[in-house]
Amino acid sequence: MKITFITPTPPDISSFGVRSLSAYLKQKGYKTEIIFLPGGIESLSDSGDFSYHYDRKVLGQIADICKGSGLIGISFMTYYFDRGVELTRFIKEEMGIPVIWGGIHPTLRPEEGLEYADMVCVGEGEEMLLQLVQTIERGGSYGNIKGLWFKDNGTIVRNGVCPIIEDLDRLPFFDYDLTGHYIYDIEKKGISPLDMNLLKKTMPLLPYFNNKFYITYRTMTDRGCPHNCTYCNVTELARMYRENKGRYFRARSINNVIKELVTTKKKYPFIQAIQFFDDTFFVRTPTEIKEFSNLYKENISLPFYCQGSPNTITEEKIEYLVDAGMVFVEMGIQSGSQKIKKMYRRTESNERIIETTRLISKYRNRLFPPDYHIIIDNPWETDDDLLETLKLLLKIPKPYGLCIASLSFFPGTELYNKAKGEGLIKDEKKEIYRRPFLLMPAYKYLNLLIYLLSFRRFPKWIIRLLGNEKIVKFVSKRDLRPVYKLTYKLIKALEILFKGLNALFTGDFKRIQRYFHKVR
């Protein structure tokens, strides 16, 4: 039996969930195929009116690949919902092959998923999917398969959540075999077999010293997150597994991680760097970090990038990791307001945040300038709350960049339930599914000042001057949205211009080419 996975995905096609499912089924002797449909979400906007559609030619090519499949799995995140719906309708109408949905969004919205798909996978699907495939092969009933939701004569059969896999080491590495892998090729405007050259093109390019960009392999060494943030859907997954007496946060062993990287490095020698995409790689103990650093330095010896949090980063851990090759750290701050941090269930104090950023800054000669994550456009956030965030950012040593996210109410999260209960969400498709968090901040004065700090070397003294409380109160009372909108556009244009000039002067013509061939 052949199983085909289709995954509308961000441009880098890491697709950890689908790659893990495919690898697991292959290990059990099944033939799998994966169709990667990389596409940005930059066309989504505040209006929520834009809905992405695939070209009819592309849908036909997908159908050709899917022929002979006994099951088709479609996995996606919230912002790719429309694409998942379009693919499902096409497959069911044109081919009649059963479709199962999986991924973070269907897991938290299984009833919604069953409006379109035949089945929905709720939770981590490796063992459930194997059991389902075996049942389909022998023509049996799958009414009691844990984690599988479906309709029986119009009635939803709810089979709870998939069994949790406690020992991640027993899973095979992510499926990067290329055999049976296909991708939407932006240059050809169609589906092509994923070969070495296309994989190389789609791997992330992360900044390195001296204006270089390195081809980077992304991986995850754990599942879950040690934090419990109210805006994050991972928190809801953790709750689901706690109710089922499962320990949601788990990490692979150090030896297992190193073995994966050794295998990948040997298979794809063009890889220049590694990015650990775990929510916070620093959650590991100092002993584990030391063990990892020694083995990584000995066996991998490539620059690497990772994420941390104020309560998990320590000088001992940084020292080990920098010595092993770490060149970049990003960290969540989210807000400087105690009220908003309490709402987000972020426990670190501003003093702890400042202490951690100063610690990172101590290594500025060995680390690329860090990125700190900030959330704005919170409907419960006042100008005083934003001012507290601005004051905190002004105390953090430069240079640093900001990853500014507009608060999104992901379905299933605690903040979603709060906003829904208070009537703040009127049209979910427009206000959530088709409105990404990576937008220009709302047109407010304090948002503009925070946005200016996202530029690594923007002078703090200018922000301090413009952030004077009297000036803030004076300006905030006036409707200057057209001015802010024009300012954002001007700054964005200047940013693109300077990046282009820098690429031109440094001879990085490939970067210019990538800009004009952006995946849409």
Side-chain angles (χ1 to χ4, degrees):
M1 176 174 167
K2 182 179 82 171
I3 303 93
T4 300
F5 296 100
I6 307 175
T7 175
T9 172
D12 66 85
I13 68 165
S14 297
S15 303
F16 300 116
V18 161
R19 289 186 186 275
S20 182
L21 294 171
S22 178
Y24 190 72
L25 289 181
K26 280 184 175 180
Q27 186 186 63
K28 302 301 179 181
Y30 288 94
K31 179 182 179 181
T32 68
E33 294 179 325
I34 307 178
I35 304 173
F36 298 97
L37 301 175
I41 55 175
E42 61 275 356
S43 295
L44 305 183
S45 63
D46 276 323
S47 66
D49 293 326
F50 179 83
S51 178
Y52 186 94
H53 293 283
Y54 293 106
D55 187 273
R56 196 73 187 176
K57 167 193 165 186
V58 171
L59 292 174
Q61 291 174 320
I62 291 172
D64 288 341
I65 296 168
C66 290
K67 285 177 182 177
S69 299
L71 180 68
I72 293 176
I74 301 179
S75 176
F76 56 89
M77 300 179 291
T78 299
Y79 297 133
Y80 293 86
F81 177 83
D82 287 326
R83 305 181 207 196
V85 169
E86 182 183 30
L87 290 164
T88 302
R89 284 175 171 163
F90 175 80
I91 290 166
K92 289 174 67 64
E93 290 171 5
E94 298 294 325
M95 309 189 71
I97 300 173
V99 175
I100 182 170
W101 276 13
I104 185 67
H105 184 89
T107 285
L108 298 180
R109 281 291 179 88
E111 290 93 347
E112 177 188 62
L114 290 174
E115 294 175 17
Y116 308 95
D118 299 292
M119 296 164 274
V120 172
C121 168
V122 177
E124 299 177 1
E126 284 88 354
E127 293 183 343
M128 182 283 293
L129 195 57
L130 174 63
Q131 191 176 350
L132 173 62
V133 169
Q134 291 171 338
T135 302
I136 292 175
E137 277 191 315
R138 64 174 180 263
S141 169
Y142 44 74
N144 295 318
I145 298 178
K146 195 75 171 172
L148 181 69
W149 292 38
F150 60 96
K151 282 185 178 179
D152 183 10
N153 294 321
T155 301
I156 296 178
V157 178
R158 299 171 172 85
N159 282 328
V161 64
C162 294
I164 202 163
I165 298 174
E166 294 282 355
D167 180 11
L168 298 182
D169 281 9
R170 70 181 181 87
L171 294 175
F173 303 140
F174 300 116
D175 180 5
Y176 271 89
D177 288 343
L178 296 185
T179 303
H181 290 190
Y182 302 85
I183 188 171
Y184 175 74
D185 186 340
I186 183 65
E187 295 181 7
K188 294 182 179 179
K189 304 295 182 184
I191 307 293
S192 298
L194 183 59
D195 57 20
M196 192 82 77
N197 186 51
L198 277 173
L199 179 65
K200 185 177 178 180
K201 283 184 178 180
T202 56
M203 278 190 165
L205 288 169
L206 296 187
Y208 191 64
F209 302 108
N210 300 322
N211 293 309
K212 294 180 180 178
F213 284 81
Y214 276 5
I215 298 170
T216 305
Y217 172 73
R218 279 181 174 166
T219 189
M220 292 190 74
T221 71
D222 62 31
R223 289 189 179 183
C225 179
H227 303 304
N228 194 30
C229 305
T230 57
Y231 51 78
C232 182
N233 39 29
V234 175
T235 300
E236 178 61 16
L237 279 173
R239 183 197 64 76
M240 291 167 60
Y241 276 107
R242 278 199 302 272
E243 289 183 355
N244 287 269
K245 298 181 181 179
R247 180 174 60 91
Y248 188 60
F249 179 73
R250 295 136 293 151
R252 292 155 55 192
S253 70
I254 302 299
N255 284 329
N256 182 268
V257 174
I258 297 299
K259 186 177 179 181
E260 175 203 355
L261 297 180
V262 168
T263 301
T264 304
K265 183 181 174 184
K266 183 178 180 180
K267 190 171 187 177
Y268 301 115
F270 58 79
I271 291 172
Q272 299 169 295
I274 306 294
Q275 183 181 25
F276 296 102
F277 219 57
D278 310 293
D279 287 321
T280 174
F281 189 80
F282 280 83
V283 73
R284 295 177 183 271
T285 66
T287 300
E288 290 173 318
I289 294 289
K290 182 179 180 181
E291 179 189 1
F292 165 82
S293 300
N294 289 337
L295 290 174
Y296 187 94
K297 188 176 180 179
E298 177 184 347
N299 295 280
I300 311 301
S301 192
L302 292 176
F304 67 92
Y305 307 70
C306 60
Q307 302 181 76
S309 59
N311 286 337
T312 59
I313 294 176
T314 66
E315 185 162 12
E316 182 181 10
K317 293 178 184 180
I318 287 185
E319 186 61 45
Y320 288 139
L321 293 174
V322 168
D323 182 62
M326 183 177 71
V327 294
F328 176 78
V329 178
E330 56 185 311
M331 182 179 79
I333 292 176
Q334 316 312 355
S335 176
S337 162
Q338 296 304 314
K339 180 189 83 176
I340 299 301
K341 282 197 289 188
K342 184 177 180 181
M343 177 182 289
Y344 292 161
R345 209 178 289 122
R346 298 288 298 199
T347 59
E348 57 271 358
S349 65
N350 284 353
E351 291 74 21
R352 174 65 179 176
I353 291 171
I354 294 168
E355 178 186 342
T356 306
T357 58
R358 287 176 177 168
L359 172 58
I360 294 171
S361 183
K362 280 180 60 177
Y363 292 81
R364 59 184 172 272
N365 293 328
R366 300 164 70 187
L367 292 174
F368 197 75
D371 279 343
Y372 299 126
H373 295 240
I374 295 292
I375 298 175
I376 57 176
D377 300 337
N378 181 330
W380 301 285
E381 192 172 48
T382 65
D383 280 349
D384 287 339
D385 295 318
L386 280 172
L387 199 55
E388 286 185 59
T389 298
L390 184 65
K391 289 178 179 178
L392 171 62
L393 294 174
L394 288 171
K395 293 177 182 177
I396 293 174
K398 280 280 190 178
Y400 63 79
L402 291 181
C403 293
I404 302 175
S406 183
L407 179 63
S408 290
F409 298 122
F410 290 113
T413 62
E414 192 173 315
L415 284 191
Y416 165 86
N417 295 331
K418 177 178 172 64
K420 191 74 172 176
E422 295 181 14
L424 297 179
I425 301 172
K426 308 295 184 184
D427 186 331
E428 293 191 0
K429 297 293 192 301
K430 286 188 174 184
E431 297 168 30
I432 302 175
Y433 297 18
R434 298 171 186 159
R435 179 189 175 277
F437 60 88
L438 293 175
L439 291 168
M440 282 295 188
Y443 302 129
K444 296 171 63 174
Y445 181 66
L446 283 168
N447 278 357
L448 175 60
L449 297 187
I450 291 173
Y451 177 65
L452 290 174
L453 278 174
S454 68
F455 298 95
R456 288 190 172 93
R457 301 187 186 277
F458 195 90
K460 280 186 177 182
W461 68 267
I462 296 179
I463 303 298
R464 286 196 180 94
L465 177 64
L466 297 176
N468 179 277
E469 291 190 33
K470 291 182 179 179
I471 296 177
V472 170
K473 288 180 180 179
F474 176 80
V475 177
S476 296
K477 290 178 181 179
R478 285 148 180 81
D479 185 2
L480 299 176
R481 283 175 293 180
V483 176
Y484 302 145
K485 188 173 183 178
L486 181 62
T487 304
Y488 283 138
K489 287 184 177 180
L490 177 61
I491 293 172
K492 199 66 181 176
L494 288 172
E495 181 185 9
I496 293 171
L497 175 62
F498 286 133
K499 285 182 178 179
L501 290 173
N502 181 66
L504 188 63
F505 291 141
T506 57
D508 189 0
F509 301 112
K510 286 186 178 180
R511 189 178 186 189
I512 298 173
Q513 184 183 32
R514 287 194 303 270
Y515 175 77
F516 287 104
H517 286 88
K518 282 179 68 175
V519 178
R520 296 185 63 82

